[in-house]
Amino acid sequence: MATPTIKKKKTWQPYALYFILPSFILYTLFVIVPTLGSVYYSFTSWDGISSDVRFIGLANFVEIWNSPRVHNALKNTMVLTISLVILENIVAILLAVFVDKVRWLSKIFRSIFYFPTLLSGIVMGFVWAMMLNYNFGVVNQMLDKLGLGAFAVDWLGDPKYAMLAVILSTVWKGAGYYMIIYLAGLQGIPQELNEAASIDGANGWQQFRHITFPLLAGSVTVCMVLAMISALKIFDQIAVMTDGGPGFETETLTYLIYKVGFGELRQGFGTALALVLFFIILIITVFQVKVLQKREVEM
């Protein structure tokens, strides 16, 4: 006679107790509680140091709505974001296509193009600040050696070029990261499609336009969303390279939050501005994802 097997009753309590609960406690302490605290402080005139926390209602948000400095920072943020999203993705796609086509030393090229992403924003900012220095920077020295000294300008001190310098240096740092994502997408495209198009007489550009790029729609969605979020909250490069200047020409919302919160000791106003930036990022991200996913379906 066979011995009856006893089925052990499975329970979820141990998993909740030993795995979910500690994570939930940490998440609550370090995310939920500070977030709720930020919402509260955004309605106050707290300076970030004293125990005097005075409730002022919507005064901070009214000031944000009417402040020319905030409007200028928002304009700079939008210019920077649009430029970075477009340029980083274009450069990343070009690099990915190049690396995908190269048969010799492809791993070396991948490493070279990806290397800048390993640098922190602070280190990258210092490197580019030295390279673009008007007096001893390598960029102006090279222009001078090539007989183009007339084109040497104060890249970080001239209002006409400061934002351009920040954009180009950030593209140099970030394009390699998105290149890896596009490269993964390219390697998932069946080669038979391009071979068939080539037999039908399609040249390289036609193959890219009608086959490769449409099939990269998923990678484009991911990279554009990531690039947009990264650009909207850019801080390190501006802090090191321009300090928001010259004047307020490169001051973005993120850097303005830091300046008013810690430099001017207006934590209440800075927190309110941070909440505004959060909702801006949320709205743009949702809109962007919906538009790009619709494009994926159409393709």
Side-chain angles (χ1 to χ4, degrees), residues 80-96 113 116-117 124 166-182 219-220 222-232 234 237:
L80 189 65
T81 300
I82 293 170
S83 303
L84 288 178
V85 168
I86 294 173
L87 292 177
E88 283 184 328
N89 280 276
I90 290 176
V91 173
I93 289 176
L94 293 176
L95 292 178
F113 296 145
T117 66
M124 185 277 287
V166 173
I167 290 171
L168 293 180
S169 60
T170 307
V171 170
W172 173 83
K173 181 183 185 302
Y177 175 79
Y178 305 112
M179 176 200 71
I180 297 298
I181 299 176
Y182 284 122
S219 300
V220 171
V222 172
C223 289
M224 291 194 72
V225 171
L226 291 176
M228 187 274 301
I229 295 174
S230 175
L232 282 172
I234 187 172
Q237 293 91 316

Side-chain angles (χ1 to χ4, degrees), residues 11-48:
T11 176
W12 57 269
Q13 283 90 346
Y15 299 100
L17 182 62
Y18 296 112
F19 293 99
I20 300 176
L21 186 60
S23 301
F24 178 73
I25 292 173
L26 290 174
Y27 186 80
T28 302
L29 289 176
F30 292 103
V31 177
I32 296 178
V33 172
T35 301
L36 295 177
S38 298
V39 173
Y40 169 72
Y41 285 121
S42 67
F43 295 101
T44 69
S45 61
W46 186 45
D47 61 5

